[in-house]
Amino acid sequence: MADISLKGVVKRYGRTEVVHGIDLDIAHNEFVVLVGPSGCGKSTTLRMIAGLEDISDGAISIGPRVVNDLPPRKRNISMVFQNYALYPHMTVRENLGFGLKIAKQSPAEIARRVDEAAEILGLGALMERTPAELSGGQRQRVAMGRAIVRHPEAFLFDEPLSNLDAKLRVQMRTEIKKLHRTVKTTVVYVTHDQVEAMTLADRIVVMKDGHIEQVGTPMEVFDHPVNTFVASFIGSPPMNLLPARISDGQVVFAGGTGLPVPTRLADRVRDGQEVTFGLRPDDLTPQGHGIARGGERAQLTLEVGLSELLGTETILYTRIGDQEVQGKMFGPRDVAAGERLTFDVALDRAHLFDTVTGRSVRRL
Amino acid sequence: MGRTLRKRLAAVGLWLLTFVLMVIMCVPGLWVVLTAFRPNAEVLAKPPVWIPENPSLNNFAKIFGFGADQVAIPVPAYFANSLIIALTSTVIALLIGMSGGYAFARYRFRFKNGLFLGLMLSRTVPGIALSLPIFIIWSRLGLIDAKLGLIIVYVALNVPFTIWLIDGFFRQIPKEMSEAAQVDGCTRWQAFWKIEFPLAKSGIASAGIFAFLTSWNEYALASNLTRSTDSKTLPVGLMDFTAQFTIDWAGMSAMAVIIIVPALILTFLVQKHLIAGLTFSGVKG
Ligand SMILES: Nc1ncnc2c1ncn2[C@@H]1O[C@H](COP(=O)(O)OP(=O)(O)O)[C@@H](O)[C@H]1O
Ligand SMILES: [Mg+2]
């Protein structure tokens, strides 16, 4: 239970730099999720916190200690690996107790804490089995049990759910969240799945190519993405991003259609500026099928191509100008291909990004 | 009906084939074992006598110096030499094989691939081709007719193979196992002995058996580098049964049995590991 801080942390493999000076402060008991496409340096960053990779530059501290030169065993953290890395030649009980045994705890204390962890994770009936005799979800649970028995300062998770099938993944996601409530510890969690990030995190750290793009609560990164990358990475289906130009207080799309510049952003753009207009499918809804919510609106009449029925909503594929976009229909009815519908555009929730820098034009 | 019959015939045919192959493989060995229990005269009988008419332990008694006509062959000394040389060289080859195999499996370093290829290529040189250079160098170093001389040769002979085999085993153990152990509080050294070594044990045992059998059975180099009871090994000792004009086939066979039996026992003792090691299952948990 400690805060973790990264200051200008760099990782180089030989001459290639893969993490380019990361600054991040993680608060005591906070659940932080590092999310980003594969290869962006999430695991490397996590492994530097764990001490499994050297730090090429910068400093990492856990609690009051700078841990740069401490081996993993002296950092008092625990880690859950993607492949669980359970010890195959030990029973579940021995797996759980291994760290305590290494720390030379008394057998009675080991038994007590192993049973406590087993209780929290519901491992009771599995204690004498070996990992080979467990299902994927059970292995996952043992791996988490092994992490909690030592009462570490922080848990590190590296894509712990990616080896599970979809249903189990959702279930274990909830269990991890519950576990965090129960054992109250700082958590750093790595995933490439933005849904996992949104559902689990107190704070999300969006990474790309060894840089941090944005840090914020799930709501912040969803509602106020700082650039087109975060905008398109967070949220599903992804935000529509349309190239456009500012002209006479209008956002004019390639192909001619235009929309008024959202009032709150009017003084942030200049005439002739090349921009990218960002609009989530939830904010492009046929009239009468939107989320009841006040705010600045504009209307567009668009021809619907495909539609995908999801139950409580339907995804509508249409075009603005010559750009493919997706809209959503809440409380859906059948929509025929080729049908023309009037859409509400929630301008107060639209985004404008400078095309050259990719950054949001709003005041940051 | 016709199909079941054909299937049966095929099965019988396969069994026959297996039987014939096994016979071809086993007859020489069987002949040696049978001959160990018969008098020399019977060995050369025409037509051959298969089952010894008066089986006896005379040949063994002679070898070990009991009974009326003794052979002056110091088998216990040879046996001791063989054991010391084979065991020592195996242990050393395993230690080097484990360190090397681990390094190749886990670390990146310069010239790694070249080094590995070099090790493998060294196996393409027939050992006997090196006997003359080794003989010359060893005689300068005073290693002729010394156990140490043979031990060094056998270590060199076995190391590429043990490294290669053990590297394969460590490679199959996910590196996260050792990392998990380190996070759990182990030093790298502890992580190796508590996690990776137990998981690679079968593989290391297999490598050990191969190394031991290679040293135990080696003849060509040993016959060049040994002279006396100081260092002569059992296979070289076999030649003591050849005199200028006669060969004591029966005695030689008895000694061959003495060579084979320990190797068989050892193989049986570790065969569980050998099979587990060569098929390698159950590590990825
Ligand atoms: N041992 C290594 N040697 C060289 N490059 C590496 C090594 N490990 C990772 N990388 C590179 O570092 C980058 C980041 O990797 P990683 O942190 O594993 O990404 P992520 O976990 O976000 O998918 C990748 O481009 C990867 O190729
Ligand atoms: Mg990764």
Side-chain angles (χ1 to χ4, degrees):
Chain A
M1 282 171 274
D3 48 326
I4 299 175
S5 109
L6 284 71
K7 288 202 170 50
V9 170
V10 171
K11 178 67 192 180
R12 278 181 288 265
Y13 288 111
R15 282 208 201 91
T16 29
E17 190 171 296
V18 297
V19 173
H20 313 286
I22 279 186
D23 294 301
L24 181 64
D25 283 307
I26 298 166
H28 182 66
N29 286 359
E30 192 177 23
F31 198 125
V32 164
V33 176
L34 305 185
V35 68
S38 126
C40 71
K42 310 178 293 288
S43 296
T44 307
T45 306
L46 193 75
R47 292 167 55 81
M48 285 192 286
I49 298 175
L52 296 169
E53 298 282 351
D54 294 332
I55 301 163
S56 309
D57 217 332
I60 295 181
S61 36
I62 300 176
R65 296 182 302 170
V66 173
V67 296
N68 281 27
D69 298 321
L70 293 184
R73 77 197 138 92
K74 297 214 170 126
R75 299 193 181 193
N76 196 17
I77 38 98
S78 53
M79 184 152 170
V80 175
F81 295 84
Q82 182 169 3
N83 60 7
Y84 318 133
L86 301 178
Y87 313 127
H89 56 307
M90 298 181 191
T91 62
V92 169
R93 183 181 296 284
E94 289 163 340
N95 263 281
L96 294 180
F98 182 73
L100 298 172
K101 206 168 135 200
I102 293 294
K104 301 220 160 53
Q105 300 276 352
S106 72
E109 174 69 4
I110 295 178
R112 191 183 68 73
R113 277 159 71 172
V114 165
D115 288 340
E116 176 195 64
E119 173 76 36
I120 293 174
L121 289 158
L123 294 172
L126 310 172
M127 296 304 271
E128 308 311 325
R129 296 202 196 164
T130 61
E133 299 161 336
L134 302 178
S135 70
Q138 291 169 336
R139 286 179 199 176
Q140 172 67 59
R141 242 181 238 128
V142 175
M144 294 202 298
R146 196 173 61 181
I148 66 175
V149 280
R150 286 187 301 115
H151 302 321
E153 306 236 37
F155 291 155
L156 310 179
F157 289 86
D158 192 353
E159 310 237 6
L161 304 184
S162 56
N163 282 355
L164 300 177
D165 61 56
K167 196 168 155 213
L168 207 51
R169 204 177 306 157
V170 175
Q171 188 188 329
M172 291 309 293
R173 205 164 70 198
T174 325
E175 289 207 21
I176 290 178
K177 193 76 192 167
K178 267 197 228 145
L179 186 69
H180 181 237
R181 291 236 179 82
T182 323
V183 297
K184 288 260 185 310
T185 305
T186 312
V187 175
V188 187
Y189 185 107
V190 160
T191 179
H192 64 269
D193 179 349
Q194 56 92 21
V195 180
E196 243 170 65
M198 293 290 283
T199 48
L200 285 172
D202 293 329
R203 252 181 344 140
I204 290 184
V205 177
V206 185
M207 290 183 66
K208 181 194 168 203
D209 297 339
H211 291 284
I212 290 182
E213 299 288 315
Q214 186 169 5
V215 181
T217 64
M219 237 38 249
E220 278 164 10
V221 291
F222 186 81
D223 284 340
H224 306 292
V226 295
N227 56 31
T228 46
F229 173 77
V230 177
S232 60
F233 192 78
I234 301 288
S236 167
M239 186 187 285
N240 299 300
L241 291 172
L242 306 168
R245 172 195 292 272
I246 304 296
S247 168
D248 272 343
Q250 290 275 309
V251 182
V252 181
F253 301 106
T257 326
L259 281 170
V261 172
T263 318
R264 72 182 214 287
L265 298 173
D267 61 340
R268 305 291 301 164
V269 292
R270 58 192 149 64
D271 223 36
Q273 186 175 358
E274 300 283 345
V275 293
T276 302
F277 180 81
L279 189 70
R280 294 205 182 272
D282 314 52
D283 300 321
L284 181 66
T285 51
Q287 279 190 325
H289 292 278
I291 305 168
R293 190 163 52 188
E296 192 181 8
R297 291 282 180 280
Q299 275 71 45
L300 280 176
T301 301
L302 304 170
E303 184 180 314
V304 176
L306 272 176
S307 53
E308 259 172 28
L309 185 69
L310 297 181
T312 50
E313 67 212 39
T314 293
I315 309 284
L316 302 176
Y317 290 79
T318 174
R319 298 176 154 272
I320 294 180
D322 54 10
Q323 296 292 309
E324 290 266 4
V325 296
Q326 297 177 34
K328 256 189 201 172
M329 178 184 235
F330 295 94
R333 60 167 176 84
D334 282 334
V335 178
E339 195 172 332
R340 290 182 73 80
L341 295 174
T342 305
F343 283 82
D344 273 328
V345 180
L347 280 183
D348 58 324
R349 300 182 56 79
H351 305 266
L352 284 178
F353 304 95
D354 184 85
T355 299
V356 181
T357 62
R359 301 192 66 77
S360 173
V361 301
R362 83 187 158 86
R363 210 169 275 108
L364 296 175
Chain B
M1 171 68 203
R3 258 183 73 197
T4 27
L5 192 67
R6 227 182 304 151
K7 261 191 188 165
R8 285 238 180 100
L9 279 178
V12 170
L14 269 177
W15 274 109
L16 271 179
L17 189 68
T18 313
F19 183 74
V20 170
L21 285 176
M22 286 307 290
V23 166
I24 293 172
M25 271 158 60
C26 292
V27 156
L30 190 66
W31 181 257
V32 167
V33 173
L34 289 173
T35 301
F37 295 96
R38 66 172 116 227
N40 206 27
E42 204 180 282
V43 178
L44 303 169
K46 266 182 198 169
V49 182
W50 276 94
I51 308 298
E53 272 159 15
N54 300 304
S56 74
L57 292 172
N58 276 345
N59 295 320
F60 294 94
K62 266 198 300 190
I63 286 178
F64 286 107
F66 303 116
D69 48 353
Q70 308 181 359
V71 198
I73 295 175
V75 177
Y78 293 169
F79 193 92
N81 288 342
S82 267
L83 207 60
I84 292 169
I85 291 171
L87 280 181
T88 316
S89 66
T90 300
V91 168
I92 298 175
L94 277 186
L95 287 178
I96 300 178
M98 268 160 60
S99 333
Y102 190 78
F104 277 114
R106 284 285 189 267
Y107 293 90
R108 299 169 166 225
F109 46 90
R110 277 215 275 178
F111 311 122
K112 177 170 161 174
N113 292 335
L115 210 59
F116 200 75
L117 189 67
L119 276 178
M120 292 309 109
L121 286 180
S122 74
R123 294 287 297 179
T124 61
V125 180
I128 192 70
L130 299 173
S131 64
L132 186 61
I134 291 177
F135 182 84
I136 293 170
I137 297 171
W138 263 215
S139 60
R140 298 266 161 87
L141 294 174
L143 288 172
I144 298 288
D145 200 22
K147 292 186 201 63
L148 180 63
L150 269 190
I151 290 173
I152 296 174
V153 169
Y154 290 161
V155 167
L157 211 60
N158 281 320
V159 152
F161 185 69
T162 51
I163 288 186
W164 176 73
L165 203 65
I166 294 174
D167 162 80
F169 283 98
F170 281 130
R171 228 174 254 278
Q172 295 190 51
I173 302 170
K175 74 175 191 327
E176 284 86 353
M177 297 267 173
S178 137
E179 290 177 347
Q182 289 175 61
V183 170
D184 260 350
C186 289
T187 59
R188 187 130 197 185
W189 185 246
Q190 281 177 312
F192 176 82
W193 285 109
K194 291 188 188 295
I195 306 296
E196 293 173 296
F197 177 75
L199 294 178
K201 217 167 43 185
S202 298
I204 293 166
S206 325
I209 274 290
F210 285 116
F212 181 85
L213 292 180
T214 307
S215 312
W216 183 258
N217 292 328
E218 207 279 338
Y219 171 76
L221 289 166
S223 70
N224 275 316
L225 301 174
T226 59
R227 289 277 172 281
S228 69
T229 50
D230 283 354
S231 69
K232 263 170 104 167
T233 56
L234 286 167
V236 183
L238 277 179
M239 279 296 129
D240 288 5
F241 290 92
T242 58
Q244 197 172 0
F245 300 110
T246 59
I247 300 179
D248 180 1
W249 292 113
M252 203 186 253
S253 297
M255 182 127 153
V257 169
I258 294 172
I259 300 178
I260 294 168
V261 165
L264 273 182
I265 291 174
L266 194 72
T267 312
F268 267 117
L269 285 182
V270 295
Q271 71 161 344
K272 194 182 68 166
H273 284 298
L274 211 60
I275 293 166
L278 293 177
T279 55
F280 202 80
S281 55
V283 161
K284 290 203 174 140

